Amino acid sequence: MTSENGNDGVRAVDRALDILMAFRPGDHLLSASELLRRVALSRPTLYRLLRTLELRGFVVSSGEPQRFQLGPSVAHLAHIWASGLDLAELSQPMMRSLWERTGETVALLVHHGRERVCVAELPSHQPLSFKRGVGYSESVTLGASGRVILAFANDVPRYLEGKVPEDQRAAYLDELARIREVGYAISRDELIKGAVAIAAPFFSAGSKVMGSLAVYGPSARVDEAQVNRIAQWLVEAARELSLKAGARQ
């Protein structure tokens, strides 16, 4: 009898988690019918579990007919999880793989205010190489590792004030759109003469851009074919880091 009750409890928890995981980025309010299309539950079971989740603050309902959204308890758990997240440590396998494949400097940069800050770096062992160092910061409007963040940020015009002249903003916004389309950014001779930088963004839960992974190398060694290879490796590594940071596929 105890074993059966235990199995029922585990099944209820599993189903409740299925409901929470049914919410996707961009969802605001979902009806019961919309949720039923995403979870394999009967309508009575769905409502019973939704009532329990609402009592514990994991969902909030409103309107008539009733619609549901994630509640403050989800945000509470997300905050606790994010506060313990060590991105520098989390990114090491991806950074090490990029470093071994490219032989160039690999850096992890985190979005902070109007800047991006380097929080981890694996310098190239090549005699001719470029590195910025942990703690280096620069405007997100500049360089590949900055623009690839800005391309996916909210309220882009706010970042451009005082940084990009009015007569250059249309072209600049077109460049951000191109970055969003291909998923990475490239800069040449921009912040360091003779340097090529390639960067891809990584995200947290809710598809919020957190920063970028970047590879730096000299143009004498990083030709167009190598740039294309590195860009694809970066996109793959950034996708893996995003998943580890809580983003959904």
Side-chain angles (χ1 to χ4, degrees), residues 56-235:
R56 300 305 298 270
F58 285 95
V59 298
V60 176
S61 66
S62 61
E64 187 58 45
Q66 237 179 349
R67 297 175 74 84
F68 302 88
Q69 65 185 101
L70 294 177
S73 291
V74 174
H76 172 68
L77 292 179
H79 174 71
I80 293 172
W81 176 78
S83 66
L85 194 63
D86 186 341
L87 288 172
E89 181 65 27
L90 200 66
S91 66
Q92 281 304 301
M94 288 69 76
M95 291 182 66
R96 178 67 56 178
S97 176
L98 286 167
W99 183 79
E100 291 173 350
R101 295 174 87 173
T102 66
E104 307 296 347
T105 296
V106 180
L108 175 73
L109 302 104
V110 172
H111 188 197
H112 182 70
R114 296 191 176 202
E115 300 185 334
R116 86 291 197 163
V117 181
C118 180
V119 298
E121 186 175 78
L122 296 177
S124 171
H125 287 328
Q126 304 268 16
L128 175 59
S129 61
F130 299 100
K131 57 182 181 291
R132 309 314 294 265
V134 172
Y136 167 79
S137 65
E138 182 59 87
S139 169
V140 290
T141 60
L142 300 174
S145 61
R147 281 193 295 276
V148 82
I149 294 171
L150 188 56
F152 295 89
N154 295 322
D155 194 18
V156 171
R158 175 171 64 90
Y159 293 93
L160 305 188
E161 293 174 5
K163 296 292 185 179
V164 179
E166 289 281 354
D167 61 350
Q168 297 177 21
R169 290 192 184 181
Y172 190 94
L173 292 172
D174 286 344
E175 170 65 7
L176 294 186
R178 189 199 67 79
I179 291 170
R180 283 193 298 275
E181 182 178 348
V182 299
Y184 59 87
I186 303 167
S187 64
R188 297 178 174 85
D189 301 315
E190 184 175 350
L191 296 175
I192 302 176
K193 189 67 175 175
V196 177
I198 312 104
F202 67 95
F203 304 86
S204 64
S207 299
K208 179 181 179 181
V209 65
M210 294 187 74
S212 60
L213 273 172
V215 172
Y216 309 120
S219 55
R221 192 163 60 239
V222 184
D223 58 18
E224 193 64 30
Q226 182 71 342
V227 165
N228 292 332
R229 282 191 292 269
I230 291 173
Q232 296 309 311
W233 294 337
L234 273 167
V235 168

